[in-house]
Structures are given as structure tokens and as C-alpha cells.
Amino acid sequence: MEHKARKRFGQNFLHDAGIIQEIVANLQLQSRDHCVEIGPGLGALTFAMLPYLQHLDVIEIDRDLVQVLQDANQANKLTIYSADVLKFDFNQLQAKPLRIVGNLPYNISTPLIFHLFDFIASIQDMHFMLQLEVVERMAAEPDTEHYGRLSVMVQYYCDVIPLLIVPASAFTPAPKVTSAVVRLVPKTAMQIERAHDEKLFSQLVRTAFNQRRKMLRNTLKGLATVEQLEAVGIDPHARAETIRVEQYVKLTNSL
Ligand code: SAM
């Protein structure tokens, strides 16, 4: 059956065999890994991963594609969840830890990554194809152009390792932008001080970056006083984009 790519589901299918192999090589799959692929589509990554695995879970929203995958699932190595990943409860998957993989629909990539943070304790690692610009934002250091809320939140939960850049020509239809594959590895308790209240941490970071060019003493008014900022070594005249992840955590824990 010929499948017409659906824009509303962010469908850009990988067709470049070299890139597909490179992604799979980067995964270093072990046969007993519990891998979960988000948005398998027509199976470009799925069927390249499957020979290395005993089993693979996939989550796909498009019912037509679910049917295509079901028809191709002769050896029953796939468990296909016909679902919206943004509403998917990853706790229902039994064997832990999970290895999450996906050439993500770009329109939902940021909310999806935030959704996955709710299950971070069950995740071994994540490999995602994203817009290059999103990977740059995830990996950005303070005081640089791309540093923002996404950088702080992702770096709080994970080490961010950009792996490869993928040209638009590797997809059908070709997207308008260049893509990149990134590895996210959840941080251990040894690596970073945890926020005692992660909701408050998230609220603080969001508020700080809402007006990223303003002084924190103004943007965080109502959340933190000048004295509280100074007590954790944050200059009240500084702007959100100059503050390191650890400083946001320290501030949260002092409130
Ligand atoms: N993995 C395939 C590939 O690399 O060729 C397809 C990638 S395509 C960029 C994104 C896939 O995610 C599509 O199959 C799309 O239908 C699916 N998708 C989009 N939104 C989704 C959602 N909310 N939940 C689950 N899958 C979704």
C-alpha cells in the first residue's frame, strides 16, 4: 500500500540507508535491551534495529501505519501500541530500564521530551532525531545564543551528546531544516544536586526565561527576593541566560 505522508503527524520518513545504519550503530543494541521506538512510521529504523533485538515496543499514532507494521510483524517481535505518545504511560512497560529511540515528529518533540522526564527513573538512555536547532538548544552552554529553558531542563535531567547531523535529503518528504541525532543519558544522583521540588524548579526556570533579557531581580519577583538570589551566589542584575543549571537548582532548594 502506498502511504501518503501526513503533515499533521510530522511524517518525514528516513530513506537513506547509510544514515539509518549509522544511527543503529550508535545505539549499540544488546539483544535483551528493552527498546521503545516512538513513531516507527513505515519502519525505517524499526526493521534496521530488529535483527539485533529479541523484542521491540513501538508507539504509533497513525492507524494506517499501525496496520502496515502489523502486516510486517510476522515473527511477532514487535509489540505495537496504537497510541498518542504524549498520553502514553511508560510505567505500563514492565521490564526496566527502557531505551527510547525515535525519529521524532518535530511538531511535538519538545512536549514529548518533557513528558518523558516524568519517567526518567525508568530510562537508560534516549536517542532522538530532532531539528538540528533543537539539539543545539539542548546542548547549549550559558551565555550563548541557544541557551534557554530547554537547555536548563534537559541538562538538569540528562547528559546531552550530539551524535550526527542529517541532511534534509535523507527524508521523504524532505523537511525544510537540517536534522541531528542526539543521545540523552539520564544523570545519576552523584552527577547533579536534585531539586527538592521539581515543579518549583521547572516554574522558576520557565519564569526566568519568559523575559530572558530582563534582570532576574525583576523577572523572579514574587518567587525569589534579591537576598535569596544573592544567598546562592546569583547576581540579581544578571539575566536568565547567564545562570548555570546548578544555580537554578540551588536557588530552588533555598526557597
Ligand atoms: N521512524 C520513521 C522514520 O524514521 O522513517 C517515521 C518518522 S516520522 C518523522 C514521525 C512518526 O511519528 C510518524 O510515523 C508519525 O505518524 C508518528 N507520530 C506523530 N505524532 C505522534 C504521536 N503523538 N504519537 C505517536 N506517534 C506519532
Side-chain angles (χ1 to χ4, degrees):
M1 183 190 73
E2 188 68 18
H3 178 81
K4 194 164 179 308
R6 296 195 163 107
K7 223 176 174 170
R8 73 175 186 284
F9 291 145
Q11 291 177 354
N12 299 98
F13 300 108
L14 262 173
H15 66 72
D16 185 314
I19 301 272
I20 293 168
Q21 280 315 318
E22 204 173 336
I23 295 171
V24 174
N26 268 291
L27 297 174
Q28 298 183 25
L29 296 170
Q30 307 288 317
S31 66
R32 298 180 69 84
D33 285 345
H34 188 175
C35 279
V36 184
E37 190 193 0
I38 296 169
L42 291 162
L45 287 172
T46 321
F47 296 111
M49 289 162 66
L50 219 42
Y52 300 96
L53 295 168
Q54 286 183 1
H55 194 83
L56 175 59
D57 288 339
V58 300
I59 305 165
E60 174 58 60
I61 199 169
D62 185 330
R63 297 232 171 96
D64 291 347
L65 293 177
V66 166
Q67 189 57 53
V68 173
L69 292 161
Q70 249 148 19
D71 293 345
N73 187 22
Q74 275 123 13
N76 269 328
K77 283 178 83 176
L78 287 179
T79 298
I80 305 164
Y81 293 88
S82 176
D84 177 353
V85 68
L86 291 175
K87 298 190 186 129
F88 191 81
D89 177 6
F90 285 81
N91 285 330
Q92 72 185 274
L93 305 175
Q94 291 303 320
K96 308 273 167 43
L98 306 174
R99 302 194 69 195
I100 315 272
V101 178
N103 169 15
L104 297 187
Y106 294 157
N107 48 349
I108 62 158
S109 57
T110 308
L112 171 58
I113 287 164
F114 279 82
H115 177 60
L116 285 165
F117 290 155
D118 290 342
F119 307 97
I120 197 82
S122 305
I123 295 176
Q124 177 179 329
D125 57 22
M126 302 180 262
H127 289 80
F128 294 131
M129 173 92 72
L130 298 161
Q131 293 182 39
L132 172 60
E133 189 234 317
V134 175
V135 173
E136 286 170 344
R137 280 165 45 208
M138 285 180 168
E141 298 285 334
D143 253 331
T144 62
E145 182 193 350
H146 294 292
Y147 190 68
R149 174 179 173 239
L150 187 67
S151 329
V152 175
M153 295 308 295
V154 173
Q155 291 171 31
Y156 170 72
Y157 286 107
C158 298
D159 283 331
V160 181
I161 303 135
L163 295 175
L164 59 140
I165 291 182
V166 181
S169 58
F171 304 87
T172 315
K176 290 200 176 68
V177 292
T178 302
S179 300
V181 178
V182 67
R183 173 184 296 146
L184 303 177
V185 184
K187 283 187 170 145
T188 61
M190 305 286 285
Q191 278 178 282
I192 192 164
E193 182 183 343
R194 309 262 35 141
H196 302 153
D197 180 344
E198 289 184 339
K199 276 216 171 78
L200 178 62
F201 169 70
S202 172
Q203 187 194 353
L204 191 84
V205 174
R206 182 199 304 268
T207 310
F209 281 99
N210 266 346
Q211 295 165 295
R212 55 185 287 139
R213 308 225 171 264
K214 287 204 172 164
M215 287 186 281
L216 289 169
R217 61 176 296 163
N218 295 326
T219 48
L220 293 182
K221 214 178 237 167
L223 274 174
T225 63
V226 166
E227 292 72 31
Q228 284 170 321
L229 291 169
E230 282 171 341
V232 294
I234 296 178
D235 175 357
H237 301 100
R239 291 168 298 156
E241 58 198 22
T242 65
I243 306 300
R244 285 176 287 111
V245 180
E246 305 80 56
Q247 291 177 289
Y248 282 113
V249 175
K250 277 209 159 51
L251 179 60
T252 308
N253 287 346
S254 78
L255 299 179

